[in-house]
Amino acid sequence: RCTESSKKAFFTEYVDINSTFYTQRAKNRRPGEPPLDKGLIPWLGHVLEFRRNTWRFLERMEKKHGDVFTVQLAGFYITFIQDPMSFGAFVKESREKLDFRKFASHLVRRVFGYIATKADHEMLNASSNRHLKGDGLEVMTQAMMINLQNLMLHNVDSSSDQVTWREEKLFAYCYNIVFRAGYLSLYEKDRAESEALYDEFRKYDQLFPRLAYGVLPPKKRREATKLLEYFWNVLSVQKLKGRDNISRWIWDVQEGKDNAGVKEDMITRYMFVLLWASQGNTGPSSFWLLLFLMKHPEAMRSEVKPGGPLVKMSREMLMKTPILDSAVEETLRLTAAPLLTRAVLQDMTLKMADGRQYFIRQGDRVALFPYSAIQMDPEIHPDPRSFKYDRFLNPDGSKKTDFYKAGNKVKYYTMPWGSGASMCPGRFFATNELKQFAFLMLLYFEFELINPNEEIPEIDYSRYGFGTMQPDRDLQFRYRRRY
């Protein structure tokens, strides 16, 4: 049963935000403002079409209004910038005018029941800089390597016949292995518990998009509340304090919040925020990476010698894999589709790269959707729907950073990790996770699709805006030890 307090905590944001939506004043376009499209449905505006397929909706709006326009979405007026040459105006604007924290605090309260504090972002960045970069990243990389190997080899090593092909669903396999290895590296060392927690995480993950938009029906909302209580129990401060093997990053964040006077139940809820933020996208990304590699075997040629004992792959080694780096970046270009949103804290003028200026009102929002504006732009990335593992490599093997549109160099040519002050602080750890997973699969296993000619799945459009996309169906593959 759900306690009354947990119900209240979970649904307060739902009521508060929607009350705020309804009190938003009606808006008409003023001289100097971007074209305004409120849609036909009062208050809701275009939100139904936007949720159904964000890319197609923005494409339609751009054809109708140009590369800057304001639309009404569930009571909010959001100005989208579709001109990649003008992204700097968004990324570099001061927090006094454009701030991501207000939007983020609404989201984490609605989805995770966590009430954000003003110090959250700075505290998380400080902890991440200590433990997810430099020497701290070395420690995390080694922990992840050990846990990946243990999980990947556990089933095949316990089998009486190690050379027999094992058949599984590819998305389920990749997500399971990478999520659990990440969880074990951050929070726990109990392999059996990680399996049960993964199952519950997937249930919550599937509810996430509609939960974020506040459109879950009552039965599903009750399910989400029960799942939240499950995670608050597993990741409670008291339980984590009783473990002597949680990562320094998690311990540091927990200790920092405790010292700042944050209540214990809120710290517990923040632990689930961190779990989702750190592991919610790497599993799906590992699926796409492995699938693209199987579809392009020329990209899998490697100097890695198959078989052998457990290996120790250091952070330094992971920094010397240019082909794999390019393959990872290309995978994220094709499948990472975050919506970058800022709250407008004061009336401001948005200055475009070509000299145009637009007045933006306080209380509105400004947003980028890099997936459509740059990552799938055929002028910036020719043949954008195709996976080209060497797209981000120069002929001499160095990293390619020169991409152009209309003859002008594009600074922001892919943005899977966000931008500016809100850029994902764990991006280096996440990239290492993907590379380690692919490296170990190539090292230890032969693997192939059951149907080599099966087409790559379409993406689940409902997840636009929330990081890495997920497939609309799974594929069967098989694998076995190389020796």
Side-chain angles (χ1 to χ4, degrees):
R1 292 175 60 87
C2 303
T3 64
E4 289 303 316
S5 60
S6 67
K7 288 180 180 179
K8 182 178 180 181
F10 185 63
F11 293 121
T12 293
E13 181 67 6
Y14 179 80
V15 174
D16 286 350
I17 290 180
N18 282 284
S19 297
T20 302
F21 286 164
Y22 280 113
T23 59
Q24 290 272 323
R25 67 189 185 281
K27 178 173 181 175
N28 292 307
R29 187 172 186 267
R30 298 173 182 169
E33 292 183 335
L36 172 64
D37 199 316
K38 294 190 286 188
L40 299 177
I41 307 176
W43 181 77
L44 284 175
H46 291 287
V47 74
L48 299 180
E49 183 184 354
F50 181 82
R51 276 193 60 246
R52 188 160 53 245
N53 192 320
T54 301
W55 182 10
R56 294 304 175 210
F57 168 73
L58 294 178
E59 188 176 56
R60 184 172 76 82
M61 288 291 105
E62 184 173 2
K63 288 179 180 178
K64 182 178 180 181
H65 300 296
D67 56 15
V68 182
F69 49 85
T70 302
V71 295
Q72 184 179 18
L73 300 175
F76 279 115
Y77 293 101
I78 304 181
T79 297
F80 284 90
I81 304 171
Q82 292 292 97
D83 171 29
M85 307 308 296
S86 300
F87 278 13
F90 175 94
V91 174
K92 298 176 182 178
E93 187 59 84
S94 69
R95 290 191 196 175
E96 286 72 32
K97 294 181 180 179
L98 293 181
D99 187 30
F100 71 94
R101 289 173 295 187
K102 187 174 182 179
F103 172 75
S105 64
H106 280 314
L107 183 63
V108 296
R109 189 173 181 181
R110 171 184 280 180
V111 177
F112 301 107
Y114 173 72
I115 301 174
T117 69
K118 291 183 178 180
D120 277 350
H121 179 67
E122 288 72 16
M123 190 180 300
L124 178 60
N125 266 347
S127 297
S128 299
N129 286 336
R130 282 192 291 271
H131 303 291
L132 300 182
K133 294 181 180 179
D135 293 339
L137 182 58
E138 181 75 41
V139 175
M140 291 298 300
T141 297
Q142 289 306 319
M144 188 70 187
M145 179 64 74
I146 292 170
N147 286 307
L148 278 172
Q149 290 178 106
N150 288 341
L151 290 172
M152 293 166 74
L153 299 178
H154 174 70
N155 288 339
V156 291
D157 285 349
S158 61
S159 172
S160 59
D161 185 1
Q162 295 184 16
V163 297
T164 300
W165 287 101
R166 297 177 61 87
E167 185 174 327
E168 294 194 40
K169 293 182 177 180
L170 183 63
F171 180 78
Y173 174 82
C174 296
Y175 205 158
N176 180 297
I177 293 293
V178 175
F179 171 88
R180 290 170 63 202
Y183 170 73
L184 292 170
S185 300
L186 295 173
Y187 295 91
E188 180 59 277
K189 299 301 180 186
D190 188 328
R191 186 170 58 224
E193 180 174 293
S194 72
E195 182 72 63
L197 187 132
Y198 165 75
D199 291 339
E200 299 305 295
F201 186 88
R202 282 292 293 135
K203 293 176 186 176
Y204 196 79
D205 188 36
Q206 289 166 333
L207 298 175
F208 186 90
R210 286 187 295 166
L211 184 59
Y213 280 113
V215 294
L216 273 183
K219 183 178 179 180
K220 290 295 184 180
R221 288 204 299 268
R222 289 193 294 271
E223 180 184 349
T225 302
K226 290 179 181 179
L227 288 167
L228 271 180
E229 292 185 332
Y230 167 83
F231 287 106
W232 294 341
N233 176 50
V234 173
L235 301 174
S236 71
V237 170
Q238 291 303 316
K239 287 191 175 181
L240 292 183
K241 284 182 177 179
R243 301 171 185 172
D244 59 2
N245 48 22
I246 65 172
S247 72
R248 289 303 308 170
W249 180 55
I250 295 298
W251 182 261
D252 200 21
V253 171
Q254 185 184 110
E255 193 174 54
K257 288 194 168 296
D258 190 33
N259 292 337
V262 178
K263 293 183 178 180
E264 188 173 291
D265 66 326
M266 281 296 127
I267 300 177
T268 290
R269 295 177 186 202
Y270 194 68
M271 291 299 104
F272 184 40
V273 175
L274 289 185
L275 178 64
W276 192 89
S278 63
Q279 301 306 312
N281 289 308
T282 49
S285 295
S286 67
F287 157 79
W288 292 113
L289 176 59
L290 202 62
L291 176 58
F292 288 140
L293 291 177
M294 282 193 280
K295 285 289 189 177
H296 298 83
E298 71 278 7
M300 293 200 292
R301 296 194 188 101
S302 154
E303 295 182 357
V304 175
K305 294 181 179 179
L310 297 185
V311 299
K312 180 179 180 181
M313 190 177 192
S314 66
R315 180 174 62 96
E316 184 179 359
M317 292 171 64
L318 288 169
M319 293 172 66
K320 299 175 180 178
T321 54
I323 296 177
L324 188 53
D325 287 343
S326 179
V328 168
E329 193 159 5
E330 175 72 339
T331 296
L332 296 177
R333 181 191 69 81
L334 283 164
T335 62
L339 181 65
L340 313 182
T341 307
R342 302 285 190 269
V344 182
L345 303 185
Q346 57 181 268
D347 289 350
M348 60 172 288
T349 299
L350 182 67
K351 299 179 180 179
M352 305 294 288
D354 61 3
R356 287 175 294 159
Q357 297 188 18
Y358 295 98
F359 178 76
I360 309 294
R361 300 187 208 180
Q362 178 183 357
D364 285 4
R365 292 177 176 179
V366 178
L368 307 180
F369 188 57
Y371 188 77
S372 63
I374 53 176
Q375 292 169 207
M376 300 302 289
D377 184 330
E379 192 173 356
I380 300 173
H381 301 288
D383 193 12
R385 293 177 181 271
S386 297
F387 176 84
K388 298 181 179 180
Y389 73 91
D390 57 354
R391 189 186 295 272
F392 295 93
L393 284 176
N394 289 313
D396 64 359
S398 61
K399 179 179 173 63
K400 181 180 178 180
T401 58
D402 294 340
F403 294 87
Y404 296 87
K405 184 176 178 68
N408 297 311
K409 186 176 179 180
V410 179
K411 181 176 181 180
Y412 304 99
Y413 50 84
T414 180
M415 300 173 74
W417 308 106
S419 65
S422 65
M423 185 171 285
C424 174
R427 60 191 180 278
F428 302 110
F429 178 53
T431 300
N432 280 0
E433 287 182 281
L434 296 177
K435 291 166 67 174
Q436 286 173 298
F437 175 73
F439 175 88
L440 291 174
M441 286 296 295
L442 292 168
L443 179 72
Y444 289 123
F445 300 111
E446 296 176 70
F447 52 93
E448 59 189 23
L449 294 173
I450 297 298
N451 178 6
N453 298 318
E454 186 173 2
E455 293 187 0
I456 292 174
E458 292 292 324
I459 57 178
D460 176 359
Y461 301 128
S462 72
R463 299 192 74 94
Y464 274 137
F466 299 110
T468 301
M469 306 300 291
Q470 298 188 12
D472 64 355
R473 60 183 171 83
D474 212 337
L475 302 88
Q476 293 291 121
F477 88 118
R478 65 177 189 171
Y479 65 101
R480 65 181 178 186
R481 281 291 293 265
R482 287 188 179 274
Y483 69 96

